[in-house]
Amino acid sequence: YKMTKAMLPDEAFEKGDKWVGPIKKVVSPLGNRIIKANKKIISAIADPETDVTCQDFYPVNCTDGIEDYKHCKGNWGLIECDKKTGLCPAFFQNGATQSDDHVSGGVCLFLALVILIICLIGLVTLLQRMLLGTSTRIIYKATNINGYLAMLLGCGITILVQSSSITTSTLTPLVGMGVIQIEQMYPLTLGANIGTTFTALMAAMVSDKIDALQTALAHLFFNIFGILIWYPIPFMRRVPIAIARRLGKCTRIWRLFPVVYIVVMFFVVPGLLLGLSACFEKGSKGLTVLGSFLVILIVFGIGYAFYWWRFKDGKEKCVSCLKARQRQNDAKKALPDDMDYLKAEISRLREHTGLLNEEEEGKDVENAKSVDTSEDDMEEEEEA
């Protein structure tokens, strides 16, 4: 922060313009017809000098009940209308409450995740069919280059597509298929992290705000310093690769491990850290004592977990537990097929040995009972 602040002047630039990337120009028109976020709410709530909440923007009120930019201007909540086209998105609703917009946002998030998963599955399937024979060898030779050149390659690809997610999500399946080695993928990913900062830099350089350019430079130098720590030194370079291999082995042992990893690392741990920071930021002695006590418990728990992992066979127990869970899941999935196989084998065994099935045994028992009954009746008639 201090380094980037020292690099920039204190006064603002001349009035700038807004930069829009090429992919956004293609996607935005369609996205704005589905849903368009009201950024004024975010700016107003983030401003510490204003006491504004989301509830202050509701209910949505359009003049004469006409849903367009002219009649609804300024009277909308989390979802706004498009100023350029004058149209309102599909999820915009006149008279909507905050809960209505929350539901619309949740539906859009769910649809986006479904579309993302479908696209990734289609991408992997397409790559598996395309990368056969000579294509695999060509890609392997193209990526089997010096690590620093691979960084430049990943950076260039990311600058062209304006998204590091596209670069990594395209190359990651190639690692799973064995086309690219993980040692080759590592510098490509680092280069993609550098390339993704250029989008923010280009947007900040046409802006008239110092804070925007400082944020973009901080993002750039954060990635550069991360590369300087984790790549040039061979020993440090092996650390993230080894961790990636361990995570891959855990996934191979138990297929639900990635879900647990994402929940813990992206929800549980950040939530715990935010909760601890909130305890110390409130200025209350009670919360400060509570936060200190929780920190001591967490440090003690981490220390005991390390001791249990290294000296109490924790690693072997975890691996055994994961394997047991995966065996249970595999057994549950294979149970219907196993039952069909056993039924077929039992039927074949009955045919081979001449044993009767349950229906035939039931008929024989009924016939025997009827014969016994008829014989008893005949004996009674003779005695009479």
Side-chain angles (χ1 to χ4, degrees):
Y1 170 79
K2 293 183 179 180
M3 183 181 67
T4 55
K5 187 176 180 60
M7 294 173 61
L8 299 173
D10 296 331
E11 299 180 356
F13 298 117
E14 298 180 357
K15 184 174 179 59
D17 196 2
K18 185 177 181 181
W19 184 82
V20 180
I23 295 181
K24 189 174 182 179
K25 289 183 178 180
V26 177
V27 177
S28 290
L30 177 60
N32 292 337
R33 294 299 301 272
I34 299 174
I35 191 170
K36 183 175 175 66
N38 183 9
K39 298 180 181 178
K40 293 181 179 179
I41 293 184
I42 303 174
S43 302
I45 295 176
D47 190 356
E49 298 180 357
T50 60
D51 188 13
V52 179
T53 61
C54 288
Q55 194 63 36
D56 297 333
F57 292 84
Y58 291 94
V60 177
N61 185 16
C62 296
T63 307
D64 300 330
I66 301 175
E67 296 182 359
D68 59 10
Y69 182 84
K70 181 179 179 181
H71 293 82
C72 304
K73 182 178 180 181
N75 297 321
W76 44 56
L78 293 171
I79 304 175
E80 66 176 0
C81 299
D82 192 0
K83 183 178 180 180
K84 293 182 179 180
T85 61
L87 301 175
C88 294
F91 282 93
F92 183 85
Q93 180 182 353
N94 184 25
T97 61
Q98 185 177 356
S99 60
D100 294 332
D101 283 353
H102 286 171
V103 172
S104 299
V107 172
C108 287
L109 176 62
F110 174 76
L111 294 177
L113 292 175
V114 171
I115 294 173
L116 176 63
I117 292 173
I118 293 174
C119 291
L120 289 176
I121 293 174
L123 176 65
V124 173
T125 304
L126 180 62
L127 290 174
Q128 287 178 343
R129 294 184 178 182
M130 291 179 58
L131 299 177
L132 297 175
T134 57
S135 300
T136 302
R137 292 192 293 269
I138 292 173
I139 294 178
Y140 178 79
K141 291 181 180 179
T143 55
N144 190 20
I145 55 179
N146 182 270
Y148 297 98
L149 294 178
M151 285 187 198
L152 295 177
L153 178 62
C155 180
I157 295 174
T158 305
I159 293 175
L160 291 176
V161 298
Q162 295 291 311
S163 175
S164 61
S165 300
I166 296 176
T167 305
T168 53
S169 61
T170 304
L171 296 176
T172 300
L174 301 181
V175 180
M177 292 184 292
V179 179
I180 300 177
Q181 300 296 322
I182 191 171
E183 291 80 6
Q184 299 167 343
M185 180 65 184
Y186 181 43
L188 289 172
T189 305
L190 296 178
N193 291 335
I194 295 293
T196 192
T197 62
F198 279 82
T199 303
L201 278 174
M202 288 186 287
M205 284 189 293
V206 298
S207 175
D208 58 344
K209 297 181 179 179
I210 297 294
D211 294 339
L213 187 56
Q214 184 179 354
T215 303
L217 288 174
H219 186 199
L220 172 63
F221 285 110
F222 176 81
N223 286 281
I224 290 176
F225 286 134
I227 292 175
L228 292 177
I229 294 173
W230 293 106
Y231 191 79
I233 304 175
F235 172 76
M236 298 297 293
R237 187 186 309 172
R238 290 192 291 267
V239 173
I241 295 177
I243 295 175
R245 292 187 186 279
R246 288 181 179 273
L247 294 176
K249 291 179 180 179
C250 293
T251 304
R252 185 179 60 185
I253 296 172
W254 187 38
R255 294 186 182 90
L256 292 179
F257 176 80
V259 178
V260 177
Y261 176 80
I262 291 173
V263 172
V264 172
M265 299 303 297
F266 292 94
F267 293 98
V268 176
V269 174
L272 183 62
L273 295 177
L274 288 174
L276 289 175
S277 63
C279 290
F280 291 101
E281 290 177 355
K282 293 295 183 180
S284 173
K285 291 185 178 179
L287 291 177
T288 302
V289 173
L290 177 62
S292 302
F293 180 72
L294 291 176
V295 170
I296 294 173
L297 287 180
I298 292 173
V299 172
F300 177 78
I302 294 174
Y304 179 77
F306 179 78
Y307 173 77
W308 178 78
W309 180 269
R310 292 294 300 270
F311 304 103
K312 293 290 185 178
D313 296 330
K315 180 179 179 181
E316 289 74 11
K317 293 178 180 178
C318 288
V319 173
S320 300
C321 180
L322 294 178
K323 288 182 178 180
R325 287 183 174 274
Q326 188 59 41
R327 283 197 299 269
Q328 291 177 359
N329 294 332
D330 294 339
K332 291 178 181 179
K333 291 180 180 179
L335 183 60
D337 295 334
D338 293 340
M339 293 297 294
D340 293 336
Y341 173 76
L342 290 175
K343 289 180 180 179
E345 289 296 316
I346 291 172
S347 298
R348 187 176 64 84
L349 182 62
R350 282 175 176 169
E351 292 178 358
H352 180 71
T353 58
L355 295 176
L356 300 177
N357 55 26
E358 294 180 357
E359 295 181 356
E360 294 176 349
E361 289 179 355
K363 291 180 180 180
D364 292 342
V365 172
E366 291 178 357
N367 294 331
K369 289 182 179 180
S370 61
V371 171
D372 293 338
T373 304
S374 60
E375 290 178 352
D376 292 340
D377 293 340
M378 291 175 64
E379 290 177 356
E380 291 177 358
E381 290 178 356
E382 290 178 355
E383 292 177 356

